[in-house]
Amino acid sequence: MFPYLQENHQFPYPDYRFMPFGYYNSPYSEGWWLWSNESEEKYRLPAQQRLTFVLVHGSWADAHFWDGVASVLRSQGHDVYTPEYAGHGKDPNKDVTHAMITKSVVDFITKLNLRNFVLVGHSFGGTVIQKVAEQVPDRIKRLVFWDAFVLKDGESVADELSPQTRQGFEQLRASSKDDTIMLPFPLFRDLFVNTATLEEAKRMYAGVIPEPAKPLFEKLDLKAFYALPTPKSYVYFYQDNALPQGEGYGWHPHMSTRLGQFRLLVGDGDHFTDTRTRPAMLAQKFYEAGRD
């Protein structure tokens, strides 16, 4: 999604526990950054600690959103899959439903016969993994929601937005020619990439494309989800401003506690930026959320 310029960004936490300290692949620059001559194999986890991840992106993104995080996880020996779903990526059709999006991910999983995997959903992707879990519960090891919507039965994403944001989305939807919503830069800057520099924010925004509106307003039947015994985790970043942080809104505890019993991990970051600037930190959070 994001056509980042090819330039180096200093990783701010070189001593992070499972970061491949001497050998790191950046999807935003050509080739490998070689920090030492040591073998990558040194940084792989023992076989019994390796996991399989399926990462599901959110709105105004596509599967490339995960490139940096997936690269770090793979360097540690994990298997990582990043399915694309209907209405996103190279799919020109924006007239999609939530069911079509869910089917894209379910079909990806069943076609590859994936099993015993950690299913991660970010933002809108939380609603996707809720519905995917209903259809293939026996294949999933654990569900991980990263600053993701956990809708109640009968809710839509729009139901969880502040009145001001919902009204803005409705106006943007009405003004589009294909029932999509394009985020204005000031909104994207303040809500999604608030910890990024202005230059980073502009580069990320250059790749943002209109989001199909219909799935954001569809009310979902989630009775089957709430009957599932699947283990669950929630990863919450303190500076994520995509939802209001006030009472009655927000990711945690407003969304997270709907999961019942769950594992909680917290971090310092916003909604989008850290997938680019600190992929190893995010990869570590996913590992801690997904491991036994």
Side-chain angles (χ1 to χ4, degrees):
M1 171 184 170
F2 302 136
Y4 299 125
L5 299 181
Q6 295 177 350
E7 63 183 54
N8 289 356
H9 293 269
Q10 181 65 38
F11 182 73
Y13 298 113
D15 61 344
Y16 213 84
R17 281 183 292 165
F18 289 117
M19 174 66 187
F21 306 127
Y23 197 90
Y24 177 58
N25 179 33
S26 169
Y28 315 117
S29 62
E30 292 183 351
W32 294 85
W33 298 356
L34 294 176
W35 294 358
S36 76
N37 294 322
E38 297 178 88
S39 168
E40 177 188 9
E41 190 63 32
K42 176 179 177 180
Y43 304 104
R44 290 179 177 266
L45 294 171
Q48 67 271 22
Q49 296 181 30
R50 299 176 192 175
L51 301 173
T52 298
F53 291 92
V54 176
L55 309 180
V56 179
H57 66 80
S59 300
W60 295 284
D62 64 16
H64 289 295
F65 179 78
W66 298 117
D67 283 353
V69 176
S71 179
V72 173
L73 288 169
R74 289 172 181 139
S75 76
Q76 298 162 2
H78 303 295
D79 292 325
V80 185
Y81 300 88
T82 57
E84 192 52 277
Y85 53 70
H88 297 73
K90 296 181 180 179
D91 185 359
N93 178 28
K94 300 296 182 181
D95 184 21
V96 297
T97 65
H98 199 284
M100 292 167 64
I101 288 173
T102 300
K103 185 176 185 300
S104 300
V105 179
V106 171
D107 287 350
F108 179 94
I109 290 167
T110 55
K111 181 177 181 180
L112 295 179
N113 196 26
L114 302 180
R115 296 182 179 276
N116 197 36
F117 56 84
V118 178
L119 182 60
V120 179
H122 175 239
S123 194
F124 170 79
T127 74
V128 179
I129 69 172
Q130 281 184 284
K131 294 302 292 182
V132 169
E134 290 182 343
Q135 297 190 34
V136 290
D138 58 320
R139 294 175 178 266
I140 299 170
K141 175 184 178 67
R142 179 176 283 268
L143 294 168
V144 176
F145 296 78
W146 169 39
D147 285 355
F149 288 92
V150 182
L151 297 184
K152 295 186 292 186
D153 179 40
E155 269 195 326
S156 70
V157 167
D159 291 333
E160 289 291 343
L161 303 177
S162 68
Q164 181 181 6
T165 301
R166 176 166 182 157
Q167 182 180 21
F169 280 10
E170 289 172 341
Q171 291 173 350
L172 291 168
R173 181 184 189 184
S175 65
S176 74
K177 297 180 180 179
D178 56 356
D179 197 26
T180 59
I181 298 172
M182 181 59 186
L183 289 178
F185 177 72
L187 191 64
F188 176 78
R189 182 14 170 181
D190 288 346
L191 300 190
F192 282 45
V193 292
N194 43 294
T195 68
T197 66
L198 179 60
E199 292 73 21
E200 287 170 336
K202 288 180 177 178
R203 282 194 292 271
M204 286 187 276
Y205 185 71
V208 174
I209 60 175
E211 176 71 16
K214 189 184 302 181
L216 303 179
F217 289 84
E218 287 183 85
K219 295 184 182 294
L220 304 182
D221 182 338
L222 291 162
K223 295 181 182 64
F225 171 77
Y226 283 104
L228 294 175
T230 312
K232 304 170 183 71
S233 298
Y234 204 95
V235 178
Y236 168 58
F237 280 7
Y238 293 120
Q239 292 170 278
D240 190 330
N241 202 39
L243 287 183
Q245 307 246 1
E247 184 176 351
Y249 296 103
W251 304 118
H252 172 73
H254 180 66
M255 294 286 179
S256 60
T257 52
R258 296 173 177 178
L259 297 174
Q261 178 179 322
F262 68 99
R263 181 184 303 169
L264 174 67
L265 290 99
V266 299
D268 184 29
D270 67 21
H271 202 59
F272 267 27
T273 305
D274 299 278
T275 58
R276 177 184 180 182
T277 59
R278 299 192 292 171
M281 180 274 290
L282 194 52
Q284 175 65 12
K285 294 296 183 186
F286 289 171
Y287 174 72
E288 292 172 352
R291 67 188 176 187
D292 291 332

